[in-house]
Amino acid sequence: MQLIPESSIFRYMIRLIWMLVLTIPLGLQAQVNSIQQVLHGAGRSADRISKDKHRFIPDAEATVPVQSFIQSSRQELQRAGVTLGLTYVKESAYGKHFLYHQLYKGIPVYGAYLKVSVNHQHEIIQTADNLVDLQIAVIQPLKANATPLYLVLVNNQLIPVYRHNQELQDAQGAMIKEIDNRYYFGTDDTLVNGKVFNMDPLTSAGVIYGQGGTYKHFNDSDYTLLNNQRVNVTFPATLINDTFRLENKYVKIEDWAAPTAPVAFSVTPFFDYTRKQSGFKEVMAYYHALQTRQYFMQLGFTNRMQYQQRIDALSGGGDQSYFSLDDTTLNFGVGGVPDAEDGDVICHEFTHALSFDMSPTPDMFPERRAIEEGLCDLTSAIFSRKATPFNWRYLFNFDGPIPVASGSVTYWGGRNGQSGKTYLDKIGNPYKDCEIWTSCLLDIGSDIGLHTMMTLSLNSIYLMTQGTTMPQAAQLLLDVDSILYGGVHRQTMGKYFNQRKFGTFPESVATMFPLPIGFSLINTSGFARGESNAIVHLENRDEFRIRVYDMHGKVKVDWINLNSDYALNPEYYSSGMFILSIEHQGQVYNQKLIRF
């Protein structure tokens, strides 16, 4: 045996100790990196979506039967210690929506959720989930006297994550990420009168930023050409003693962040400010928030946002505005062009607040965030179009203008609501990818009506999860259209979804709606509009019977053993709902038909 000199052994031991010391932080950093990837949605699978209208829940008015029903039917929930925790129940025009998070020993598993939607007949409309199988997962040791915020599953290890002030940390105290509970917009009772922009001074003037070297921000000065674009409006305020305040039951202007300034008030029923004054931003934020809320109520969402929306119109020097998930406030930045001077920004942020009230969804993955941003941009575009057709599909024409005059320097590039991007152009940045979704919705809205498009979009929010993708969201819009409008917009939406490369969707008159084996129903959309026949296509020509009933149960038509496809002529049907009933081999299949 060869002997090693003591000096060599000493050097070897020192080297080994240093290697161990260096390896420990590298291992911890690798764990932190792995958790960060999960938190940002890297490698996550798409939602599993199931539709089975033959499954009923005994009592969908209560949460326990729903939870018990699902708990007993999913393999991922069978390990000891694995349960579901109810996050919320929301009610829409067509049913109830239950969101659960998967728990292990009472602690939420990050990104593991289940959403169940039922109609008013207690029939399951859809389940969407990203549940994980924890049969072989091992939980890492927990901190003493501390409860984790989540457990993050990485390589079959359940790693506890803790909240410390505004940080997420692992059990060793290493920061994983900073907490930012905000939905961003940005780059990255007594009637009173007031003056506002409608929606911003450039589009109302019909000019682009920097046109003629004049229409610019000019450091928030009282530039005459911009001030002249203010219009007189009427809105509700509160009279306290002898002073009018910018607040009512649903919206209130406050000041909680620098730059601080006294909140605007008036001893007369008139709020007349120029754009240089802080009061002008506050009147803008107040008025356009009220207008946006009123619009959503007119669309039928009267049971939403039954609270007072608090707004700081001068919140921070950065060029960013956001809706805060922590306290549901709206915050408008004053960097660059003050955001509250652009009505598009205000409408956008208020839509975040409505969306959160309808379906609270923190920790959205990037693609779901892009859908959220696109929805909010849809609101801004609708209000821009209402004000003027000039450049209405370019969003934020004052705060982030496109197009701009040659040589003009702006603060950021705004958003394009008539982009030609498709799903294949998605880059993973929600503030860029949202243009795909916005432009698609505006294309569809130009055909079926912008208000109809907004109604469909908002109602689809109830069915979405934190991981919904654009193709899945497109299918949800079709599902909601089927529920609310009998599928009358199906083909139009399908055409634009196909153009955006979201998948293969029906878009022609000959598109077949599959019924049980042996039957197809063609062109329900044309029938609903009264433009062309709906066709019952029968593959089996023997022993079948077709009836059509009105909603009072009266038989409109009754045919037996036809030798060819049958055409339903819309001229013979008045407006309303009908039931098409096909009897074949002892079984009866029913399908709703709508005639407008």
Side-chain angles (χ1 to χ4, degrees):
M1 181 176 66
Q2 183 176 1
L3 296 177
I4 301 176
E6 286 188 14
S7 59
S8 298
I9 294 175
F10 180 76
R11 288 194 299 271
Y12 174 78
M13 292 300 295
I14 292 296
R15 189 181 304 117
L16 179 61
I17 291 171
W18 271 110
M19 289 176 63
L20 290 172
V21 169
L22 291 172
T23 301
I24 291 172
L26 289 175
L28 292 175
Q29 186 59 47
Q31 174 175 290
V32 169
N33 291 341
S34 297
I35 298 173
Q36 287 175 337
Q37 289 182 340
V38 174
L39 295 180
H40 286 89
R44 71 172 297 278
S45 59
D47 286 347
R48 290 177 290 264
I49 295 179
S50 171
K51 302 186 181 91
D52 186 352
K53 290 194 175 182
H54 299 290
R55 296 168 64 193
F56 291 83
I57 293 176
D59 183 9
E61 302 304 315
T63 60
V64 174
V66 178
Q67 186 165 337
S68 301
F69 180 83
I70 298 298
Q71 183 92 30
S72 62
S73 62
R74 292 304 301 263
Q75 174 184 337
E76 296 92 338
L77 304 175
Q78 302 311 306
R79 176 178 174 175
V82 176
T83 57
L84 288 174
L86 180 68
T87 302
Y88 66 73
V89 181
K90 294 290 182 178
E91 187 166 3
S92 69
Y94 51 91
K96 286 193 172 183
H97 311 272
F98 303 80
L99 180 69
Y100 300 91
H101 271 77
Q102 187 175 358
L103 309 176
Y104 181 65
K105 295 186 176 180
I107 305 170
V109 179
Y110 181 81
Y113 50 79
L114 172 94
K115 196 163 195 176
V116 183
S117 296
V118 299
N119 61 23
H120 295 304
Q121 290 72 47
H122 300 184
E123 194 177 47
I124 293 180
I125 301 171
Q126 172 189 280
T127 64
D129 77 89
N130 201 31
L131 298 174
V132 293
D133 193 339
L134 301 177
Q135 295 296 330
I136 61 173
V138 177
I139 186 169
Q140 287 193 359
L142 306 181
K143 274 184 179 181
N145 303 318
T147 302
L149 184 64
Y150 323 114
L151 296 173
V152 177
L153 183 64
V154 179
N155 298 325
N156 284 319
Q157 293 277 318
L158 284 169
I159 302 170
V161 173
Y162 300 85
R163 177 167 186 162
H164 179 70
N165 296 326
Q166 289 302 111
E167 292 182 0
L168 293 182
Q169 300 178 349
D170 65 9
Q172 290 75 37
M175 187 183 81
I176 296 165
K177 77 169 191 176
E178 291 187 82
I179 297 171
D180 191 2
N181 280 340
R182 295 177 282 187
Y183 284 162
Y184 271 108
F185 163 84
T187 56
D188 297 8
D189 302 326
T190 299
L191 290 178
V192 299
N193 297 306
K195 288 190 175 183
V196 298
F197 290 145
N198 186 30
M199 293 283 284
D200 69 79
L202 304 187
T203 50
S204 60
V207 299
I208 62 174
Y209 191 89
Q211 184 168 320
T214 56
Y215 285 91
K216 298 181 180 181
H217 170 47
F218 289 120
N219 197 29
D220 209 29
S221 66
D222 279 336
Y223 182 50
T224 302
L225 289 180
L226 298 182
N227 271 333
N228 286 348
Q229 291 304 313
R230 295 174 301 150
V231 295
N232 292 319
V233 293
T234 302
F235 52 86
T238 299
L239 179 62
I240 301 176
N241 297 323
D242 60 350
T243 304
F244 294 96
R245 304 284 181 179
L246 293 175
E247 64 178 277
N248 75 345
K249 182 179 179 180
Y250 299 112
V251 177
K252 182 180 181 181
I253 299 297
E254 299 182 25
D255 180 38
W256 56 75
T260 58
V263 174
F265 64 89
S266 179
V267 294
T268 67
F270 198 82
F271 287 78
D272 184 5
Y273 296 97
T274 61
R275 65 182 293 257
K276 182 179 181 179
Q277 298 172 285
S278 61
F280 180 73
K281 287 87 168 158
E282 293 173 334
V283 174
M284 278 283 294
Y286 183 72
Y287 173 78
H288 287 291
L290 285 173
Q291 290 294 301
T292 309
R293 186 185 188 281
Q294 183 180 7
Y295 172 64
F296 292 140
M297 299 304 109
Q298 290 171 345
L299 291 181
F301 297 93
T302 53
N303 62 336
R304 299 267 63 94
M305 297 193 74
Q306 298 300 308
Y307 63 88
Q308 189 180 58
Q309 180 64 63
R310 299 169 57 225
I311 299 174
D312 188 343
L314 302 97
S315 182
D319 191 13
Q320 290 179 323
S321 296
Y322 62 89
F323 166 72
S324 171
L325 279 69
D326 284 331
D327 56 12
T328 66
T329 59
L330 298 185
N331 303 260
F332 295 97
V334 295
V337 175
D339 289 353
E341 289 188 17
D342 192 327
D344 283 359
V345 182
I346 302 164
C347 294
H348 176 105
E349 292 304 334
F350 197 90
T351 308
H352 276 312
L354 174 69
S355 174
F356 187 77
D357 186 56
M358 295 172 69
S359 182
T361 313
D363 300 315
M364 290 180 181
F365 290 112
E367 195 163 337
R368 172 66 178 87
R369 177 60 63 86
I371 296 168
E372 174 80 4
E373 290 295 309
L375 167 70
C376 298
D377 286 354
L378 173 63
T379 307
S380 299
I382 288 173
F383 272 82
S384 290
R385 180 63 183 85
K386 182 180 178 181
T388 172
F390 180 77
N391 274 349
W392 69 278
R393 287 185 61 161
Y394 290 109
L395 289 310
F396 322 115
N397 283 312
F398 191 33
D399 183 54
I402 47 174
V404 299
S406 177
S408 297
V409 178
T410 60
Y411 298 97
W412 69 286
R415 300 238 182 100
N416 183 359
Q418 53 185 10
S419 168
K421 294 179 184 176
T422 72
Y423 192 61
L424 303 181
D425 300 314
K426 179 171 63 74
I427 62 174
N429 180 335
Y431 303 104
K432 297 292 185 182
D433 294 341
C434 66
E435 293 184 346
I436 304 170
W437 192 246
T438 306
S439 299
C440 183
L441 296 185
L442 290 175
D443 285 345
I444 298 171
S446 295
D447 275 8
I448 71 173
L450 291 170
H451 306 316
T452 300
M453 188 70 257
M454 177 57 78
T455 300
L456 289 169
S457 296
L458 288 174
N459 275 290
S460 71
I461 291 294
Y462 288 111
L463 299 172
M464 292 188 189
T465 69
Q466 71 189 81
T468 300
T469 64
M470 290 187 196
Q472 290 172 339
Q475 183 59 55
L476 293 179
L477 284 171
L478 293 177
D479 294 343
V480 172
D481 181 57
S482 177
I483 295 169
L484 296 182
Y485 300 108
V488 68
H489 309 109
R490 182 182 188 87
Q491 294 164 3
T492 300
M493 289 196 291
K495 176 180 72 173
Y496 289 110
F497 292 156
N498 291 338
Q499 289 178 2
R500 297 289 171 174
K501 309 297 183 187
F502 293 144
T504 303
F505 294 88
E507 61 174 273
S508 67
V509 170
T511 297
M512 301 178 74
F513 181 77
L515 294 172
I517 295 175
F519 306 96
S520 296
L521 184 59
I522 305 171
N523 195 34
T524 56
S525 175
F527 175 85
R529 293 193 298 267
E531 297 173 353
S532 52
N533 296 341
I535 307 295
V536 182
H537 174 67
L538 306 165
E539 296 176 9
N540 300 303
R541 305 294 186 185
D542 58 335
E543 299 181 5
F544 63 84
R545 184 173 191 169
I546 297 176
R547 294 187 181 95
V548 177
Y549 300 88
D550 64 20
M551 294 310 292
H552 301 289
K554 182 179 178 180
V555 177
K556 302 287 290 183
V557 291
D558 189 348
W559 300 279
I560 301 176
N561 292 347
L562 298 175
N563 294 320
S564 61
D565 293 347
Y566 186 78
L568 288 84
N569 189 332
E571 294 182 7
Y572 300 116
Y573 296 86
S574 58
S575 298
M577 181 85 72
F578 300 90
I579 302 296
L580 171 67
S581 177
I582 302 175
E583 184 177 342
H584 179 64
Q585 295 181 352
Q587 294 186 343
V588 178
Y589 306 100
N590 295 320
Q591 176 64 39
K592 291 179 182 178
L593 285 173
I594 284 183
R595 174 71 172 90
F596 291 117

